[in-house]
Amino acid sequence: MIQKSNVKRFLGFVYKNNRKKVISSTILVIIVTLIDLYLPLVIKKIVDEGIMNNNLNMTIKFLLIFAVFSAVSILLDFFLGYLYTLMRNNRFYVK
């Protein structure tokens, strides 16, 4: 069984060696989450203000907003995967 003190030591060690990556990934996760929470609201606007009112300009506007936010979210997800890979592949050598 793993003791709590060993887990805390390990997490402290990982954080100490990957401080910038951990902080960057935390910020990016928050940004991606906020974008992903906003996307259903954009879809609601597309349906309610664009399609239901037969307003083509509004539909196109919100579709473009949706596409941009989706693209940003996907790119940030790829970058997060890259950061996680760097942290996972970082070899720890204790002397």
Side-chain angles (χ1 to χ4, degrees), residues 77-93:
D77 274 336
F78 279 126
F79 188 68
L80 272 170
Y82 174 72
L83 276 178
Y84 294 150
T85 302
L86 288 179
M87 285 190 285
R88 184 176 43 239
N89 290 336
N90 190 7
R91 302 288 181 224
F92 301 109
Y93 298 107

Side-chain angles (χ1 to χ4, degrees), residues 43 45-56 58-59:
I43 293 173
K45 292 277 191 183
I46 291 171
V47 172
D48 291 346
E49 294 181 17
I51 295 173
M52 295 301 283
N53 293 333
N54 290 329
N55 190 345
L56 185 61
M58 192 67 71
T59 305

Side-chain angles (χ1 to χ4, degrees), residues 3 14 16 48 61 69 85 95:
Q3 296 177 356
V14 169
K16 185 174 116 179
D48 291 346
K61 175 185 167 186
F69 278 120
T85 302
K95 294 181 180 179

